[in-house]
Amino acid sequence: MTYCVAMRLEAGLLFASDSRTNAGVDHIATFRKMSVFEQPGERLIVLLSAGNLATTQSVISLLTQRLKGQEEHLFKCPSMYDVAELVGRTVKEVVARDADAQSLGQGVDFGGNFIVGGQIRGEAPRLFHVYAQGNFIEACEDTPYFQIGESKYGKPIIDRVIKPKTSLKEAAKCTLISFDSTIRSNLSVGLPIDMLLYKTDSFAPADPHRITADDPYFNKLRRGWGEGLRKTFEKLPDEDWFNK
Amino acid sequence: MTYCVAMRLEAGLLFASDSRTNAGVDHIATFRKMSVFEQPGERLIVLLSAGNLATTQSVISLLTQRLKGQEEHLFKCPSMYDVAELVGRTVKEVVARDADAQSLGQGVDFGGNFIVGGQIRGEAPRLFHVYAQGNFIEACEDTPYFQIGESKYGKPIIDRVIKPKTSLKEAAKCTLISFDSTIRSNLSVGLPIDMLLYKTDSFAPADPHRITADDPYFNKLRRGWGEGLRKTFEKLPDEDWFNK
């Protein structure tokens, strides 16, 4: 499985993915389940993927190799909306190619999900969730984040903390705690975590961070959060259920 | 959907279920997704149910009406193992009766899950998870709890707190926090919560509690937990990601 989360905040964008299985291919600063397509000064596009690895790898490969061709590609798209549409169309193309009666009869799920976000000069940063069916939704004020994969364990802390005005530092802290909760409760999600923070209108080169098991900050957070939860729990009052 | 959790601790048993949809029938102290079958002084049997409501209701109805018949029934079973086996057999009986080619072609899932626990004189308290297929597993030292339904949101806090030596008071507190996290993140799980605590070897009459939206203790917990999480979160250090 996989756990990916992305946020569209006023301060910028945050992307994070685990890496227990690898879905990315190494091309144009692409790594693990996070793929980065960028023209510094002009556009940054980040894709996070979950689902059938053959499908998501093929989508990234096709998007990558078409950057050099004549067809429409990620660096030609005039808006992030068009980027999301292109990713959705590529998902459908791959599934249509791979999923036939024979393989479907074997119960294979060819679906792949993507979170697609970034900024193209002339637009504000935008964030989309592209479904396995190729259609997509966009993050807004009310719902500034998307999760794909094993999303439930780590959702409560995000629901409590993340608002459009949350800073990138706080969002990163919340994201790492969300990953910690997920990793503790679900073996299919594992370290390292890939995280990328992007400041609105910076168009700076992508500077992804890889958070491994011996990352000092992540370990400080895990320990501090665990201790804080235990202390909070202990301080909460007890009820005398048998004499109520 | 549904969220139910049950724990087998040294101090006793805990059962809790939400009630956004009702799966119980009113007979022999049966209510909502929690059904209680008891002979005070002799045996207590509690069932929590999730899944297809027609299936789980039928299972409870059959188990209830057979208490007066000649067939094997819950008050005749010599052990909790036999109780779990009887519940599993009844699930299979109902699914075999209701699920035919026509309904399966319509994509209906007839499955129903049960958590079955209690104590019969002569045995220690025991706890089982009965699957939709009728087979079942038993809680042990290493895994002293089971969840059914929307289990993921509320699992991290249980994983952090619950050990076999946890007291019933603490387990109840942890359970209510687990429900709070689930209810905040998932609309399909809702109040009131039914909770039943049973002290090992007490064989006392079941004394279930119904926790509604205006329950003072639950509200104190929700508030205290939310504030504690926020304070813990704020106290955790920030990282300077852009100058790392």
Side-chain angles (χ1 to χ4, degrees):
Chain A
M1 198 65 177
T2 291
Y3 177 41
C4 299
V5 60
M7 301 171 184
R8 196 205 65 175
L9 310 165
E10 290 178 12
L13 297 164
L14 176 149
F15 301 89
S17 55
D18 85 312
S19 55
R20 182 123 291 177
T21 61
N22 298 339
V25 291
D26 280 323
H27 200 198
I28 310 192
T30 302
F31 48 97
R32 311 298 167 96
K33 297 168 194 176
M34 180 185 289
S35 305
V36 179
F37 298 85
E38 59 173 333
Q39 296 174 302
E42 189 52 43
R43 72 176 63 203
L44 172 78
I45 299 167
V46 182
L47 276 75
L48 305 177
S49 58
N52 184 301
L53 187 59
T55 298
T56 57
Q57 276 196 347
S58 262
V59 169
I60 299 295
S61 290
L62 289 173
L63 290 171
T64 304
Q65 75 183 28
R66 284 171 184 168
L67 290 178
K68 291 172 183 158
Q70 297 307 308
E71 291 174 90
E72 192 190 353
H73 64 59
L74 290 176
F75 291 167
K76 282 190 192 166
C77 290
S79 72
M80 282 303 300
Y81 179 88
D82 297 304
V83 167
E85 199 275 325
L86 177 60
V87 172
R89 202 175 345 132
T90 312
V91 173
K92 282 169 82 170
E93 176 191 342
V94 170
V95 173
R97 183 196 69 189
D98 290 355
D100 53 21
Q102 187 188 343
S103 53
L104 289 174
Q106 292 160 355
V108 179
D109 180 358
F110 284 88
N113 271 270
F114 285 88
I115 294 177
V116 181
Q119 185 172 21
I120 294 175
R121 201 166 275 286
E123 281 197 325
R126 296 173 78 175
L127 185 67
F128 297 86
H129 180 173
V130 180
Y131 296 111
Q133 290 73 30
N135 55 348
F136 49 89
I137 57 172
E138 183 168 5
C140 61
E141 249 340 74
D142 296 323
T143 304
Y145 74 91
F146 289 131
Q147 301 170 293
I148 52 176
E150 276 294 351
S151 60
K152 296 185 180 182
Y153 307 101
K155 189 170 187 287
I157 182 66
I158 296 179
D159 284 338
R160 284 180 195 271
V161 168
I162 298 300
K163 309 270 177 290
K165 292 203 179 300
T166 305
S167 72
L168 285 172
K169 276 181 192 177
E170 275 192 313
K173 190 160 81 173
C174 173
T175 297
L176 292 180
I177 291 168
S178 173
F179 271 86
D180 181 39
S181 297
T182 307
I183 288 168
R184 277 175 197 277
S185 287
N186 190 302
L187 270 187
S188 76
V189 178
L191 293 169
I193 299 161
D194 291 310
M195 189 159 73
L196 194 156
L197 301 170
Y198 171 78
K199 277 186 194 160
T200 297
D201 296 335
S202 68
F203 295 101
D207 180 21
H209 299 278
R210 166 146 285 198
I211 293 130
T212 57
D214 53 8
D215 183 274
Y217 178 61
F218 185 53
N219 282 313
K220 231 186 290 175
L221 281 190
R222 299 187 94 162
R223 231 185 354 258
W225 184 245
E227 280 165 18
L229 290 193
R230 261 191 305 279
K231 272 187 208 149
T232 301
F233 184 81
E234 279 159 21
K235 264 191 259 166
L236 290 175
D238 284 323
E239 180 76 310
D240 187 4
W241 295 98
F242 291 99
N243 298 302
K244 214 181 172 182
Chain B
M1 198 65 178
T2 291
Y3 177 40
C4 300
V5 60
M7 300 170 185
R8 195 207 65 175
L9 309 165
E10 289 178 11
L13 297 164
L14 177 150
F15 301 88
S17 56
D18 86 313
S19 54
R20 184 124 287 180
T21 62
N22 298 337
V25 291
D26 280 324
H27 200 199
I28 310 195
T30 302
F31 50 99
R32 308 300 164 97
K33 296 168 196 175
M34 180 185 288
S35 305
V36 180
F37 298 86
E38 59 174 332
Q39 296 174 302
E42 189 54 41
R43 70 177 64 204
L44 171 78
I45 299 168
V46 182
L47 276 75
L48 306 177
S49 59
N52 185 302
L53 187 59
T55 298
T56 56
Q57 277 196 346
S58 262
V59 169
I60 299 294
S61 289
L62 288 174
L63 290 172
T64 305
Q65 76 184 26
R66 285 173 184 169
L67 290 177
K68 290 174 185 159
Q70 296 308 308
E71 291 173 274
E72 193 190 353
H73 64 60
L74 290 176
F75 292 165
K76 281 191 193 168
C77 290
S79 72
M80 283 303 299
Y81 179 89
D82 297 305
V83 167
E85 199 274 327
L86 177 60
V87 172
R89 203 176 344 134
T90 312
V91 173
K92 281 169 83 170
E93 175 190 342
V94 170
V95 173
R97 182 195 70 190
D98 290 357
D100 54 21
Q102 186 187 345
S103 53
L104 289 174
Q106 292 161 354
V108 179
D109 180 358
F110 284 89
N113 271 273
F114 286 88
I115 293 177
V116 181
Q119 185 172 20
I120 294 176
R121 201 165 275 284
E123 282 196 321
R126 297 173 78 176
L127 185 67
F128 297 85
H129 180 173
V130 180
Y131 297 111
Q133 290 71 29
N135 55 348
F136 50 88
I137 55 173
E138 182 169 4
C140 60
E141 260 319 85
D142 296 323
T143 304
Y145 73 91
F146 289 131
Q147 301 171 293
I148 51 176
E150 277 293 353
S151 59
K152 296 185 180 182
Y153 306 103
K155 189 170 187 287
I157 182 64
I158 296 178
D159 283 338
R160 283 180 196 273
V161 169
I162 298 300
K163 309 271 177 289
K165 294 204 177 298
T166 306
S167 71
L168 285 172
K169 275 181 191 175
E170 275 193 310
K173 190 160 82 172
C174 174
T175 297
L176 292 179
I177 291 169
S178 173
F179 270 85
D180 181 38
S181 296
T182 307
I183 288 168
R184 277 174 196 275
S185 287
N186 190 302
L187 271 185
S188 75
V189 177
L191 293 169
I193 299 161
D194 292 309
M195 189 159 72
L196 194 156
L197 301 171
Y198 171 78
K199 278 185 194 159
T200 297
D201 297 335
S202 69
F203 296 102
D207 180 23
H209 298 278
R210 164 145 287 198
I211 293 131
T212 58
D214 54 9
D215 182 273
Y217 178 61
F218 185 53
N219 282 313
K220 232 186 289 175
L221 280 191
R222 300 187 92 161
R223 232 184 355 259
W225 184 245
E227 281 166 16
L229 289 193
R230 261 192 304 280
K231 273 187 209 152
T232 301
F233 184 81
E234 280 158 21
K235 264 192 260 166
L236 290 175
D238 283 323
E239 180 77 310
D240 187 3
W241 295 99
F242 291 99
N243 298 302
K244 212 182 172 183

